[in-house]
Amino acid sequence: MRNIVSERARLIPPSGIRKYFDLCIGMQDVISLGVGEPDYATPWKICEAGIYSIEQGITSYTSNRGYAPLCEALSADLAHRYGLRYSPDAEIIITSGVSEAADIAIRAVVDPGDEVLVIDPGYVSYAPCVTLAGGVPVPLPCRADDRFKITAEGLAERVTERTKAVILNFPNNPTGGVMGRDDYREIADIIVDNDLVLISDEVYSELTYGGTHCSPGTMDDLRERTIVLNGFSKAYAMTGWRIGYLCAPKEICDAALKIHQYVMLCAPVMGQLAALAALREGEEDKDAMVREYRLRRNLFVEGLNRIGLTCHLPEGAFYAFPSVESTGLSDGEFAERLLVEQKVAVVPGSVFGEGGTGHLRCAYAVGREDLSVAIERMGAFIEGLDRR
Amino acid sequence: MDEKDHLILHLLEENSRIPLEDLATMVEIDLDEAKARIKTLEESKIIRKYGAVVDWERAGDGDVTSIIALKVSPERDAGYDKIAERIARFAEVKTLRLVSGRYDFILLVKGRTMQEIARFVSEHIAPMDGIRETTTQFVLKTYKENGTPYDEREASERLPYSF
């Protein structure tokens, strides 16, 4: 029998965290730092808007592009918050989460054989999405020594004649690294000179500590070739609502919209109405959550360094990315044994690409008490290693 | 008062027993600075008292709480302050606020029984000079106190891993 499964599907690697997940199942008293989502419930004002939409019988499709008042509010909000200028009826698409936005952005610009530089370590979906689009993902490393930023040298080294696009994600999952305006300035000429498209996933934009988020779409020479992806999941604790969005110049947006309408038709209307409420009334709740993440970050990173796991202070997102090099264990072995011996779940850094090797991704989107207990247990685990 | 002082106040209000080392780390200051700032906040009476939010119903406490609204005639020169001072001196009065609207003061009063509260109002508050009207509501159940909800809703379950 010939291969039933497509070659593209076969090319996609299975999830790198599957075996840790399997180990976790059935274990009691596990503190999980493996979950990449807020531990908060969606703020009640936002939930109310979603519930109310159902009560009112607003349960139908919206236009493919998205619920018009949401697109308009989003356009104004992006201008106010980041200085991004996108037309609500030509340059914005509301998607089913940023995951879908990333997929349609990639498929809108990548042809078979195109190389796409993918930030490494980076979110696990980018490379498979490139593969599914027929493209060739090429890792674009960011290193701890550079505070996990993309450098001009690193980018220039990997651009070839076949390179079509670059996928970046700042603030970054899993490292917590951020890029400022000067950092983008440094790589902008390479992107322009090589006629590349920049796909910028900024879903953690609101979780930027001690600085202002910079969106490369605000830079004149990059705007025409930048696709901004963002969503409501992280900032407003709305992961399950699946509302993201894509902003891009009209030509790219039109292409992405065609794909969106054939595969998704539109994002769920209840979620879109909840997202509109988030923009209108969610600011205070969001600020309170972001403030708490920052407190947790300080507490947790101090704890990691205290027990001997070197960790830079992440400037965004809610992940700490300590090195396990000092323990002599690989990140995979460390994560597995930590789970079995001390019941703390973390994600090995290598799951996020070769650049993550030797690190752990620890999500500090859990309560402060749990974070303290996690640090105690991790400390006990490392002490146990020293004694052996 | 700056942003860090505000943060310290939020953290102490949320949990006045927070370890000082943790507080300093979270606020991004050293231990000595944290101590100095708290001392200043205490001395300037911005921090009035350290306390706990207690679910008295759960503690099996038989006390009755009531919300009493008062309409009063403000005094020349002293306005509402003088009468407020007199009312506040009663130990039964746990909270006293001047408010806008139909009534002037809202009091939170605790007593052992409804009769005790009724007697307190009729014998001490209502006859006071300047009190024009009182209304008493007894608290039947507390759902949220000082920002702390009392219901024990379980947090929704999360998978141990995600991307």
Side-chain angles (χ1 to χ4, degrees):
Chain A
M1 188 174 169
R2 66 176 181 168
N3 278 321
I4 294 174
V5 174
S6 75
E7 194 185 336
R8 285 182 190 181
R10 272 187 287 123
L11 280 172
I12 299 172
S15 159
I17 61 168
R18 189 71 243 172
K19 67 172 177 174
Y20 305 98
F21 185 81
D22 289 342
L23 274 173
C24 243
I25 298 300
M27 280 176 87
Q28 299 295 312
D29 190 31
V30 172
I31 293 182
S32 179
L33 309 179
V35 186
E37 69 173 332
D39 57 324
Y40 293 99
T42 307
W44 190 243
K45 281 178 198 159
I46 300 172
C47 292
E48 281 273 9
I51 294 166
Y52 186 67
S53 77
I54 296 169
E55 285 175 346
Q56 293 297 298
I58 305 173
T59 53
S60 56
Y61 297 129
T62 65
S63 82
N64 298 132
R65 184 178 296 286
Y67 183 55
L70 175 60
C71 294
E72 282 157 20
L74 203 46
S75 172
D77 189 72
L78 289 170
H80 166 71
R81 207 174 293 282
Y82 307 126
L84 285 169
R85 308 275 167 193
Y86 288 104
S87 155
D89 47 16
E91 297 179 314
I92 294 177
I93 305 169
I94 309 297
T95 57
S96 287
V98 187
S99 309
E100 192 228 340
D103 179 38
I104 64 173
I106 291 166
R107 284 199 277 166
V109 298
V110 172
D111 281 317
D114 283 347
E115 288 180 0
V116 179
L117 300 179
V118 179
I119 186 169
D120 176 359
Y123 182 56
V124 295
S125 290
Y126 303 138
C129 283
V130 171
T131 305
L132 285 173
V136 181
V138 177
L140 174 61
C142 55
R143 300 278 172 246
D145 290 346
D146 301 319
R147 298 191 69 74
F148 295 111
K149 295 172 185 206
I150 298 299
T151 63
E153 299 76 42
L155 180 59
E157 270 173 29
R158 281 158 188 86
V159 175
T160 70
E161 281 184 356
R162 291 168 62 199
T163 309
K164 180 71 182 289
V166 188
I167 304 178
L168 300 183
N169 163 226
F170 290 105
N172 180 261
N173 172 9
T175 66
V178 303
M179 292 268 282
R181 185 158 291 272
D182 292 344
D183 303 314
Y184 282 113
R185 194 65 276 151
E186 212 182 277
I187 62 170
D189 289 344
I190 301 169
I191 291 171
V192 173
D193 292 347
N194 291 281
D195 202 14
L196 307 180
V197 175
L198 171 57
I199 299 174
S200 176
D201 178 355
E202 301 170 34
V203 71
Y204 293 99
S205 57
E206 287 300 286
L207 278 63
T208 303
Y209 312 113
T212 312
H213 172 69
C214 174
S215 179
T218 55
M219 299 169 77
D220 287 344
D221 49 350
L222 289 183
R223 188 193 184 279
E224 63 173 314
R225 54 182 68 252
T226 296
I227 307 176
V228 173
L229 313 178
N230 208 327
F232 292 81
S233 293
K234 312 293 181 177
Y236 296 97
M238 290 178 67
T239 51
W241 297 83
R242 307 313 302 132
I243 301 295
Y245 53 91
L246 175 157
C247 309
K250 189 172 182 307
E251 187 188 357
I252 300 177
C253 206
D254 284 349
L257 185 61
K258 279 191 276 183
I259 304 167
H260 172 69
Q261 74 187 19
Y262 288 128
V263 298
M264 198 59 67
L265 213 149
C266 69
V269 64
M270 301 78 131
Q272 293 194 62
L273 288 173
L276 184 57
L279 289 180
R280 287 176 174 166
E281 299 183 86
E283 183 93 4
E284 210 174 300
D285 284 313
K286 180 196 68 192
D287 289 349
M289 289 189 278
V290 174
R291 188 188 73 191
E292 175 62 23
Y293 293 139
R294 181 176 180 155
L295 299 178
R296 292 176 186 179
R297 174 200 67 165
N298 295 344
L299 204 58
F300 187 62
V301 172
E302 189 273 331
L304 286 172
N305 283 301
R306 180 162 31 85
I307 62 171
L309 294 182
T310 309
C311 184
H312 77 292
L313 191 69
E315 291 169 64
F318 42 50
Y319 306 108
F321 204 59
S323 165
V324 294
E325 207 175 300
S326 61
T327 66
L329 300 180
S330 71
D331 54 310
E333 196 183 352
F334 188 107
E336 192 171 330
R337 285 182 55 185
L338 179 67
L339 178 59
V340 172
E341 294 174 30
Q342 288 290 341
K343 295 184 177 179
V344 177
V346 296
V347 184
S350 50
V351 162
F352 301 92
E354 208 187 321
T357 303
H359 289 80
L360 304 173
R361 190 193 76 170
C362 309
Y364 51 83
V366 296
R368 280 185 233 158
E369 279 176 27
D370 277 352
L371 283 180
S372 296
V373 176
I375 287 289
E376 267 174 42
R377 292 184 185 182
M378 291 169 89
F381 174 69
I382 292 167
E383 242 176 65
L385 290 176
D386 292 344
R387 277 197 233 104
R388 278 175 200 138
Chain B
M1 283 283 289
D2 60 12
E3 205 179 308
K4 289 191 187 299
D5 283 331
H6 272 283
L7 197 47
I8 289 170
L9 292 174
H10 278 295
L11 289 168
L12 288 174
E13 188 178 55
E14 183 190 280
N15 174 16
S16 57
R17 298 182 65 193
I18 187 171
L20 205 57
E21 291 81 4
D22 288 357
L23 182 137
T25 302
M26 285 191 279
V27 181
E28 299 170 42
I29 53 180
D30 64 32
L31 202 57
D32 288 340
E33 187 181 344
K35 283 180 189 163
R37 280 176 180 264
I38 290 171
K39 194 167 175 240
T40 308
L41 291 166
E42 286 168 350
E43 283 171 357
S44 58
K45 294 201 172 175
I46 290 171
I47 294 176
R48 291 284 182 155
K49 194 176 171 181
Y50 294 97
V53 175
V54 179
D55 186 342
W56 286 109
E57 284 170 39
R58 185 167 287 217
D61 176 79
D63 279 2
V64 175
T65 303
S66 66
I67 297 159
I68 296 165
L70 304 179
K71 199 183 274 189
V72 306
S73 305
E75 292 176 45
R76 186 182 292 275
D77 300 330
Y80 293 99
D81 292 349
K82 205 165 166 192
I83 194 163
E85 268 175 42
R86 289 183 61 197
I87 296 169
R89 283 178 197 277
F90 289 106
E92 290 88 341
V93 177
K94 304 299 174 192
T95 305
L96 170 63
R97 293 193 171 100
L98 179 66
V99 295
S100 64
R102 186 158 174 249
Y103 290 93
D104 302 305
F105 287 113
I106 298 289
L107 288 63
L108 205 73
V109 172
K110 278 193 97 170
R112 277 189 306 239
T113 60
M114 285 164 72
Q115 287 74 16
E116 188 178 287
I117 290 176
R119 205 163 47 243
F120 171 70
V121 175
S122 62
E123 291 178 7
H124 295 284
I125 302 292
M128 216 180 266
D129 283 350
I131 302 286
R132 291 162 50 206
E133 195 179 321
T134 72
T135 178
T136 303
Q137 288 180 296
F138 289 101
V139 173
L140 302 180
K141 187 173 177 180
T142 301
Y143 291 94
K144 191 176 182 181
E145 180 76 33
N146 209 13
T148 306
Y150 284 179
D151 68 333
E152 301 278 314
R153 266 200 317 169
E154 302 250 328
S156 61
E157 207 171 307
R158 302 200 295 172
L159 295 170
Y161 278 105
S162 80
F163 296 127

